[in-house]
Amino acid sequence: MELFGLVDCNNFYCSCERVFHPDLIGKPVVVLSNNDGCVIARSNEAKALGLKMGDPFYQVKDMLEKNNVAVFSSNYNLYGDMSKRVMSLLSRYTPKLTQYSIDEAFLDLTGIDNLQEYGKEIVRKVGKGTGIPVSLGIAPTKTLAKMASKYAKKYKGYEGVCLIDTDEKREKALKLFEVGDVWGIGHRNTKKLEYYGIKTAWNLTQKSASWVQKELSITGLRTWKELQGESCISIEELPHKKSICTSRSFPGVGLDKLQDLEEAVANFAASCSRKLRDDHIAW
Ligand SMILES: [Mg+2]
């Protein structure tokens, strides 16, 4: 059986900052976009305070101060450098590594014995060697590996590794996973799917292939197959985005001051450039 590992660095930008400020481990940290427009990375402690991605800095400034949150301007040279260190360490553990974004990589783990232990060793070594905590999901398809990495991050007891290598584990993972969080499905489809009673990844796998192709196109069908354990997305053809978008609607009657509009556009532009950098489309 083919097996893929997906390594994802936890709260990457915040973790990079902590490498050089170890006193901040266990404390709330956020990183702001260019020109300090909005929040683009949060440590777990910052998430627990209710801070959201894209929160405009001026709106949360007082709250950050009140809660002693450490605030950093983004430093992409540092993040790029730390990313290289993580990738170079990871490459020791696989004959084939494919970097997917600044903080994610797929590893070919086919044919390796005792993967649970091997995986924990990878997580430990990267953590020790770089100071960056990572999560590792291992599964027979890339879509399931991505899902497993989220479980690895979520449950402390997993020690950073979640292995989905049996149908039983796959079924359990699918049943607890919201369909909109599935890689390649996305939240744009959740309303439609919910209308058909599809809330979890498992619900989706219970639909027929023809139904899925009709409602979610050929791309959705491939995701559906991957969720069933059939690997059909090769690393070379992983989704490469053709467009990047950040959009919000304004509450009430909208904006009536030019300054507010300028601020909003600046924040959205910063969010888009972050997405571009994350996908290595720009630096
Ligand atoms: Mg990450």
Side-chain angles (χ1 to χ4, degrees):
M1 177 168 59
E2 253 188 322
L3 281 169
F4 301 96
L6 188 267
V7 174
D8 185 7
C9 300
N10 303 348
N11 313 323
F12 183 56
Y13 296 171
C14 290
S15 299
C16 289
E17 299 293 351
R18 275 177 171 167
V19 170
F20 298 92
H21 300 88
D23 52 308
L24 295 176
I25 292 169
K27 305 217 174 101
V29 176
V30 297
V31 172
L32 302 176
S33 59
N34 292 347
N35 302 322
D36 297 345
C38 54
V39 172
I40 55 166
R42 303 156 298 155
S43 70
N44 289 344
E45 300 77 13
K47 288 176 189 171
L49 288 170
L51 288 156
K52 297 272 176 292
M53 286 295 273
D55 275 348
F57 180 46
Y58 72 92
Q59 274 181 17
V60 293
K61 199 166 179 250
D62 292 344
M63 184 267 207
L64 294 172
E65 266 172 36
K66 219 179 89 196
N67 290 284
N68 279 323
V69 180
V71 179
F72 289 91
S73 301
S74 41
N75 179 351
Y76 292 104
N77 290 331
L78 169 67
Y79 311 149
D81 181 54
M82 293 305 294
S83 169
K84 278 189 204 132
R85 292 193 208 178
V86 170
M87 298 301 157
S88 119
L89 254 182
L90 285 176
S91 66
R92 298 184 191 173
Y93 294 91
T94 173
K96 194 174 176 204
L97 174 140
T98 309
Q99 189 172 349
Y100 182 60
S101 71
I102 191 165
D103 74 329
E104 284 172 281
F106 283 100
L107 320 182
D108 186 349
L109 297 176
T110 310
I112 290 168
D113 292 331
N114 202 354
L115 264 178
Q116 193 82 45
E117 278 314 307
Y118 192 76
K120 283 184 190 169
E121 164 91 2
I122 296 176
V123 169
R124 269 197 306 268
K125 282 278 161 66
V126 174
K128 271 206 159 156
T130 66
I132 303 287
V134 301
S135 303
L136 169 61
I138 306 171
T141 74
K142 296 179 196 70
T143 307
L144 287 171
K146 182 102 177 165
M147 179 181 289
S149 76
K150 304 230 169 139
Y151 284 116
K153 189 174 293 184
K154 196 167 170 187
Y155 297 108
K156 280 261 176 307
Y158 286 0
E159 294 177 55
V161 181
C162 174
L163 175 63
I164 300 178
D165 59 348
T166 64
D167 274 338
E168 203 186 348
K169 287 188 203 168
R170 187 176 61 84
E171 187 174 326
K172 191 176 162 204
L174 291 173
K175 284 182 173 165
L176 292 168
F177 209 80
E178 275 179 44
V179 73
D181 291 335
V182 173
W183 194 40
I185 297 292
H187 292 279
R188 67 190 180 281
N189 286 310
T190 41
K191 261 214 166 113
K192 175 159 78 177
L193 291 172
E194 214 162 87
Y195 172 81
Y196 290 109
I198 299 167
K199 287 205 173 76
T200 66
W202 173 256
N203 296 148
L204 182 64
T205 60
Q206 299 310 293
K207 289 289 185 182
S208 72
S210 56
W211 187 91
V212 172
Q213 182 164 353
K214 189 171 137 264
E215 296 296 333
L216 300 174
S217 86
I218 190 78
T219 327
L221 180 65
R222 297 204 309 168
T223 300
W224 177 85
K225 284 185 185 168
E226 289 239 323
L227 292 176
Q228 318 268 6
E230 181 188 336
S231 177
C232 60
I233 303 179
S234 75
I235 283 184
E236 290 71 27
E237 51 183 9
L238 285 171
H240 281 288
K241 290 175 189 158
K242 291 205 181 76
S243 63
I244 296 262
C245 165
T246 296
S247 69
R248 302 278 186 287
S249 18
F250 298 103
V253 291
L255 302 179
D256 56 3
K257 282 200 215 95
L258 182 60
Q259 197 200 338
D260 292 347
L261 182 64
E262 284 174 350
E263 224 158 60
V265 171
N267 284 333
F268 290 2
S271 155
C272 275
S273 31
R274 173 178 55 82
K275 292 177 186 175
L276 287 165
R277 278 188 300 269
D278 279 359
D279 290 344
H280 278 223
I281 298 165
W283 277 95

